[in-house]
Amino acid sequence: MSRLDNKVAFITGGSRGIGAAIALKLAEDGADIAITFTSAAGKAAEIVGAVERLGRRAIAIKVDNLDAAALEAAVNEAHHKLGRLDILVNSAGVYSMDTVDTLTLEEFDRVMFIHVRASFVAAKAAAALMGPGGRVISIGSNLGEIVPFPGLVAYATSKAALTGLTKALARDLGSREITANIVQPGSTDTDMNPANGDHADGQRARMAIPRFGQAKDIAGLVAFLAGEEGRFITGASLTIDGGANA
Ligand SMILES: NC(=O)c1ccc[n+]([C@@H]2O[C@H](COP(=O)([O-])OP(=O)(O)OC[C@H]3O[C@@H](n4cnc5c(N)ncnc54)[C@H](OP(=O)(O)O)[C@@H]3O)[C@@H](O)[C@H]2O)c1
């Protein structure tokens, strides 16, 4: 038996980047997979195909994290189509950079809704369907703990808020043997933050290991938390950033 045989995982933002790597890793470990996407339908279909080639079932659901009712419905749809729900990974995210003097309320709300409100909505819907051994894993950021440059009001606030949500979920769900944890990546080579981007050298200069992480590095930690070995880890913030915050 592989570690996640007979488990079902629901991953928001599973069409690209870190979420896609998590979908593939959890499938490799034996889980059936539901992913969400907003615009990258072709990429989402590629991930579904890759999961199926691993011998697991997969579905992709188009749902915007801004639409709470649709997100709740997507969690229920995954449970209905795949038969159960064991692992929720809140990975969908957007980068937003603006300083407090020009950041609009609309942009602040958008980032908070996509990262924080949607993670609450998905966790509430998923927890109602999970049994003992359930896992809620949210992808935060090392920028939720240390803010090393200006322009991060919306992004850093939202990722820091995910830590509070995670701790509260851990307290609410622990008696049901459901864990909740936050994984905080640092610079990771994806469309959001390419290793050859304009600001990449500055990021590398902050790191103890001066290179970008790969999405599969983050996926490995998520898989550990999702597996049996992670059963007593809850309410934890796990930073995986090549030592940038050290
Ligand atoms: N890359 C980094 O350096 C880094 C560092 C720390 C934390 N993170 C966090 O890691 C997570 C994944 O980031 P990434 O680097 O993999 O980004 P990415 O490559 O840009 O992928 C973003 C994913 O989120 C989805 N998404 C975007 N807006 C959405 C919305 N409104 N509703 C639902 N899904 C939405 C995208 O779907 P579509 O393509 O279909 O739109 C895509 O699947 C994010 O939470 C990010 O904040 C990333």
Side-chain angles (χ1 to χ4, degrees), residues 4-5 8-10 16 34 66 70 110-111 117 130 137 152 169-170 179 206 238:
L4 299 178
D5 274 349
V8 172
F10 183 97
R16 294 185 289 118
L66 292 168
R110 186 180 79 93
V111 177
R117 187 174 185 256
M130 284 177 179
I137 301 165
L152 290 170
L169 290 172
T179 68
R206 283 187 61 223
L238 300 165

Side-chain angles (χ1 to χ4, degrees), residues 136-160:
V136 178
I137 301 165
S138 296
I139 307 301
S141 167
N142 67 344
L143 300 176
E145 283 194 340
I146 290 181
V147 182
F149 49 86
L152 290 170
V153 170
Y155 192 79
T157 303
S158 69
K159 294 301 191 179

Side-chain angles (χ1 to χ4, degrees), residues 24-90:
L24 293 173
K25 173 62 179 158
L26 298 186
E28 269 173 32
D29 285 359
D32 292 330
I33 302 292
I35 59 170
T36 72
F37 65 99
T38 49
S39 54
K43 299 262 170 119
E46 284 174 23
I47 298 301
V48 167
V51 169
E52 288 174 345
R53 284 192 292 282
L54 290 166
R56 308 311 318 172
R57 294 180 296 160
I59 59 172
I61 305 170
K62 181 176 165 68
V63 53
D64 195 317
N65 267 23
L66 292 168
D67 186 340
L71 181 56
E72 182 185 351
V75 171
N76 289 324
E77 180 184 337
H79 178 263
H80 179 70
K81 288 192 171 154
L82 299 174
R84 54 185 292 142
L85 183 58
D86 304 279
I87 301 155
L88 166 68
V89 184
N90 292 307

Side-chain angles (χ1 to χ4, degrees), residues 164-182:
L165 175 66
T166 296
K167 291 179 180 182
L169 290 172
R171 290 285 180 189
D172 286 357
L173 301 174
S175 62
R176 292 172 49 201
E177 292 283 336
I178 296 171
T179 68
N181 293 290
I182 181 167

